Structure formats: C-alpha cells, structure tokens
Amino acid sequence: MNDAKQILETAINSFSIDTFNRFFREKSRQFVAREENYFRYNDDDFKDGLKLGEINFSDGDRLIICVFEVKKDLSERAGKKAQYEKAKNILKSNENQGFSAGIFIFYDANGNFRFSLVYPESIGTHRQWNNFRRFTYFVNKEFTNKTFLKQIGEKDFLKLDDVKNAFS
C-alpha cells in the first residue's frame, strides 16, 4: 500500500487537519502548505475555516485546499449543496480568483468528512461550475470507503486533470 493511501486511512480512523497536510505533501511535490485562517468565511453552518495550502501545477493550473468544520452532523446527503455553495463562493472571491479549482474538506465533530472538488469550466465568456452532486466523497469510519481510498489514495496528482479524474 502506498504512503498516501495509508495516510488517508489514518485520516478516516482519526480525523486530523495535520494528517491531511501530510497527505497533500505526499500526494504532490508541488503542494505548498500555506495555512491561513479563513474565519471570514465562517457563518451559521461553518466554523474554523482554514486554507490548508495550494498546489501550483507545472502547466499553470492552481488548486486551493481548504478545511471547514460543519456545525451539524454530516451524513451522505446532509448539507452537500450548502458546502458546494461555500466552496464556490470562496473560489469566486477576489483573493482566490487565481485558483483553477479547490479541494474542500468539510468535517463534523464525529470525524466524518466530505472531500469535494469544485471548479469552473470556461464556456464562451462565462464560467460553468461543476455539478455539486458529483466530484465529492462522503467518508465515515463506519464505511469501507474503498472507492475513496482507491481513487484519491492511488491516483496521481501531477496535474489538475489527474485530480478531476480521481473524483470522476
């Protein structure tokens, strides 16, 4: 088993932001930890916002990684749309418009988390955002999480298309 997959298994069994920092360092040599509090994005549903870091791919694409605690328990369906909207608003903000996409990790007090990829595609003169129902994994230590471990743990993160492929 590769190191990235083992780190993900650790994150599933005992959620920790530091574990995800290790995961992204293992996953991509272009990952740069740039921890910055994103408390300005906290609201009635989300708290303890944190920009974990970014990956600047060699082709010019940039990926931001953010982590938020949700104030309610996560389930497979609960809050998915609100989390997607939060992620989209962060990517649309002036400070983050240089990013091509974002991985957003939303977690609850029980250690369940949603690992989502959000990105726009340029269609003519406007941006079309990916569907919130796709490109997301709900992870719960009570589940086997096989697809998540295989796709995210084993696929390369050498370019943004690789990341998209891991979520598809």
Side-chain angles (χ1 to χ4, degrees):
M1 182 183 308
N2 70 32
D3 290 341
K5 191 172 178 181
Q6 285 179 326
I7 294 167
L8 277 183
E9 285 187 346
T10 300
I12 291 168
N13 294 320
S14 179
F15 184 89
S16 153
I17 292 170
D18 290 337
T19 304
F20 280 104
N21 215 328
R22 282 191 7 246
F23 167 75
F24 286 107
R25 276 197 314 272
E26 182 67 34
K27 203 67 180 155
S28 174
R29 291 179 184 240
Q30 289 107 355
F31 174 74
V32 178
R34 294 196 201 281
E35 286 194 17
E36 176 185 341
N37 87 46
Y38 265 28
F39 296 170
R40 61 192 167 280
Y41 294 107
N42 292 354
D43 58 27
D44 292 340
D45 297 320
F46 304 97
K47 67 180 184 176
D48 298 333
L50 177 72
K51 174 184 173 185
L52 196 59
E54 54 192 66
I55 299 175
N56 298 304
F57 298 106
S58 58
D59 63 3
D61 282 329
R62 296 177 66 213
L63 178 74
I64 187 172
I65 296 115
C66 296
V67 182
F68 281 86
E69 184 173 353
V70 295
K71 294 181 180 178
K72 299 175 187 166
D73 287 349
L74 276 179
S75 68
E76 201 154 351
R77 293 192 174 158
K80 193 186 298 188
K81 176 79 170 163
Q83 293 161 21
Y84 172 79
E85 290 299 327
K86 172 65 69 185
K88 197 165 78 167
N89 289 336
I90 290 169
L91 286 169
K92 284 180 169 182
S93 70
N94 288 337
E95 68 183 318
N96 294 317
Q97 284 186 356
F99 290 101
S100 312
I103 290 178
F104 293 86
I105 304 166
F106 296 98
Y107 68 97
D108 67 14
N110 300 317
N112 300 319
F113 62 92
R114 182 167 283 112
F115 196 88
S116 300
L117 175 67
V118 178
Y119 63 91
E121 302 261 2
S122 293
I123 310 288
T125 58
H126 77 286
R127 298 163 86 186
Q128 177 76 36
W129 291 87
N130 65 318
N131 189 314
F132 78 93
R133 288 184 180 90
R134 299 181 59 213
F135 302 99
T136 189
Y137 292 98
F138 173 70
V139 180
N140 177 319
K141 60 183 135 214
E142 305 300 317
F143 300 163
T144 60
N145 303 299
K146 280 194 241 178
T147 305
F148 173 71
L149 287 166
K150 180 171 179 40
Q151 291 294 106
I152 301 300
E154 296 178 6
K155 300 259 176 139
D156 290 330
F157 277 23
L158 300 174
K159 55 188 180 198
L160 184 55
D161 283 342
D162 293 338
V163 177
K164 289 178 183 178
N165 185 36
F167 278 86
S168 63

